């Protein structure tokens, strides 16, 4: 009986079916959605005029100063987080405990939905409207941040695909588009 227990304990977890093409594209889209806002923040940290006066940059954002590290760090962390969905569709990386990845992905999806809703509230408040200059700067800012509103839906779709493939228990059905 010990030989049977040892033999079954050392078997690797069954491989997941390949991710559908649409899920792989959605995961890559999440990573790309974070790029424009990250570049906008890095431009702000580098001193490029993005619609804020020098006084606002100095007093509100701490630029130049500690604010540069904060803004660049936020850009880097945002992009790293946006790469997470690629783990859900990739064939190369397999976690030691694959059962943990699905709940983590669902939690990330829920948090992203809440953050997107919160950002809508922030964008529509008078506080966020007062610092940024009107005109071209506001349009560029809107274009840079608009792709982030697609991230919750894309992340939820990728997570759903991963959870569905994980529940299938490694059946290798051909991916559907």
């Amino acid at each position: 009986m010990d030989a049977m227990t040892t033999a079954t304990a050392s078997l690797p977890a069954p491989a997941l079916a390949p991710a559908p093409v649409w899920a792989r594209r959605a995961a890559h889209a999440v990573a790309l959605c974070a790029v424009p806002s990250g570049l906008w923040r890095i431009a702000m940290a580098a001193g490029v005029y993005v619609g804020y006066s020098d006084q606002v940059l100095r007093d509100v954002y701490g630029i130049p100063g500690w604010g540069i590290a904060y803004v660049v760090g936020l850009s880097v962390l945002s992009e790293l987080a946006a790469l997470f969905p690629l783990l859900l569709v990739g064939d190369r990386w397999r976690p030691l405990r694959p059962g943990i990845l699905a709940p983590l992905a669902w939690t990330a999806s829920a948090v992203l939905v809440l953050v997107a809703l919160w950002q809508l509230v922030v964008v529509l408040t008078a506080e966020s409207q007062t610092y940024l200059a009107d005109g071209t700067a506001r349009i560029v800012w809107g274009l840079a941040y608009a792709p982030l509103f697609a991230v919750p839906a894309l992340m939820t779709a990728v997570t759903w695909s991963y959870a569905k493939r994980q529940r299938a228990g490694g059946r290798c059905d051909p991916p559907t588009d």
Side-chain angles (χ1 to χ4, degrees), residues 17-36:
V21 173
W22 67 264
R24 287 194 302 271
R25 288 180 181 158
H28 284 85
V30 170
L32 292 175
C33 283
V35 171

Side-chain angles (χ1 to χ4, degrees), residues 43-121:
M44 182 173 91
V48 175
Y49 178 73
V50 293
Y52 293 119
S53 69
D54 289 341
Q55 181 180 358
V56 168
L57 286 174
R58 188 176 46 258
D59 296 346
V60 177
Y61 296 104
I63 296 173
W66 67 269
I68 292 172
Y70 171 75
V71 170
V72 171
L74 181 61
S75 296
V76 170
L77 286 175
S78 296
E79 191 58 43
L80 287 174
L83 296 174
F84 175 69
L86 294 174
L87 296 176
L88 301 176
V89 298
D91 297 332
R92 294 187 180 111
W93 183 78
R94 295 284 174 233
L96 296 175
R97 307 187 92 201
I100 292 177
L101 198 53
L104 179 63
W106 281 119
T107 302
S109 295
V111 167
L112 286 168
V113 168
L114 293 174
V115 167
L117 292 173
W118 177 248
Q119 289 303 309
L120 280 175
V121 169

